[in-house]
Amino acid sequence: GAVVSQHPSRVICKSGTSVKIECRSLDFQATTMFWYRQFPKQSLMLMATSNEGSKATYEQGVEKDKFLINHASLTLSTLTVTSAHPEDSSFYICSARSPGGPTDTQYFGPGTRLTVL
Amino acid sequence: GDSVTQMEGPVTLSEEAFLTINCTYTATGYPSLFWYVQYPGEGLQLLLKATKADDKGSNKGFEATYRKETTSFHLEKGSVQVSDSAVYFCALEDSGNTPLVFGKGTRLSVIA
């Protein structure tokens, strides 16, 4: 099946720094990618929808200036957490949609665990 | 709006027990339905899916049938194993380019 990778898998940073997370679709072109945030023992909360070549669409309550999303190519989307604070510590998961066929399917990356000290 | 409700966990079963995790949904259209599994420390993996009423999705011994009349997509497995211990998420996709809507997840622990 389709593969989506994320890098890094784990990152620890100091408060006030910025962190970039990459999401790549390895064997298909993804016109749409999604970024989720997962708190411990909770479900995935959609943060934003990223469309290649256009601005991301953010969900209500998500600060677009804090969570910068760039979808520069059909295989890469990046999420940058700017001026990170401890409350930003979370598990960030991306997914990419594989187009075509009778049922589009989202493939999920393995996630990035961010810890802000 | 669209929503997914699944039974709260945690669910603890002995090996070889029968598993049912209930999932119901509300949607404006005719959604596709999914079950995802998340093993400890990993991302989500698609377990099975169904795209229309009465479809049955199956994989690795797990099954779920799309019941439009009861708006349900319950996950079942006849005999669970310790390796099935994970968090299971029910989800729906309404149409086209819309994001998935997830339930809150159900943690399953299988003990030997």
Side-chain angles (χ1 to χ4, degrees):
Chain A
V3 177
V4 175
S5 70
Q6 279 184 242
H7 178 79
S9 59
R10 186 181 297 268
V11 57
I12 301 172
C13 69
K14 293 182 179 180
S15 185
T17 61
S18 294
V19 175
K20 179 185 285 188
I21 303 170
E22 294 185 347
C23 176
R24 293 182 184 272
S25 56
L26 298 184
D27 53 2
F28 65 97
Q29 293 184 329
T31 54
T32 302
M33 290 183 173
F34 303 95
W35 286 96
Y36 297 85
R37 182 173 179 178
Q38 185 181 29
F39 293 98
K41 299 184 179 181
Q42 295 190 26
S43 188
L44 282 72
M45 301 300 296
L46 179 67
M47 298 175 66
T49 302
S50 170
N51 294 301
E52 186 268 338
S54 63
K55 290 184 178 180
T57 302
Y58 289 82
E59 295 299 300
Q60 191 173 8
V62 178
E63 299 176 60
K64 61 181 181 181
D65 294 331
K66 180 168 186 62
F67 299 99
L68 301 179
I69 292 173
N70 183 278
H71 194 157
S73 77
L74 287 171
T75 60
L76 173 65
S77 176
T78 60
L79 167 67
T80 301
V81 183
T82 62
S83 186
H85 291 283
E87 58 266 29
D88 299 324
S89 298
S90 192
F91 196 52
Y92 292 88
I93 302 175
C94 74
S95 70
R97 184 183 296 278
S98 175
T103 305
D104 288 351
T105 302
Q106 287 189 39
Y107 295 94
F108 285 81
T112 297
R113 185 163 302 283
L114 169 64
T115 302
V116 184
L117 303 177
Chain B
D2 296 347
S3 66
V4 174
T5 303
Q6 60 183 105
M7 63 186 288
E8 293 189 20
V11 174
T12 302
L13 295 174
S14 298
E15 211 167 20
E16 299 184 1
F18 184 86
L19 168 71
T20 299
I21 301 178
N22 289 338
C23 172
T24 57
Y25 68 90
T26 58
T28 53
Y30 299 94
S32 295
L33 302 174
F34 305 83
W35 276 100
Y36 283 85
V37 58
Q38 185 179 32
Y39 297 103
E42 299 184 13
L44 270 69
Q45 300 175 28
L46 178 65
L47 181 60
L48 53 85
K49 67 181 180 183
T51 59
K52 61 182 186 297
D54 299 325
D55 269 2
K56 176 185 284 188
S58 61
N59 185 26
K60 299 181 180 179
F62 291 90
E63 292 184 340
T65 300
Y66 189 144
R67 301 287 188 198
K68 186 178 176 183
E69 62 276 15
T70 54
T71 61
S72 65
F73 193 55
H74 304 323
L75 181 68
E76 296 182 338
K77 186 173 185 180
S79 176
V80 294
Q81 304 300 313
V82 173
S83 57
D84 293 327
S85 298
V87 180
Y88 292 82
F89 292 93
C90 185
L92 71 82
E93 181 182 69
D94 205 341
S95 63
N97 215 25
T98 56
L100 287 165
V101 176
F102 286 91
K104 292 187 175 180
T106 302
R107 183 176 299 277
L108 170 67
S109 295
V110 181
I111 54 178

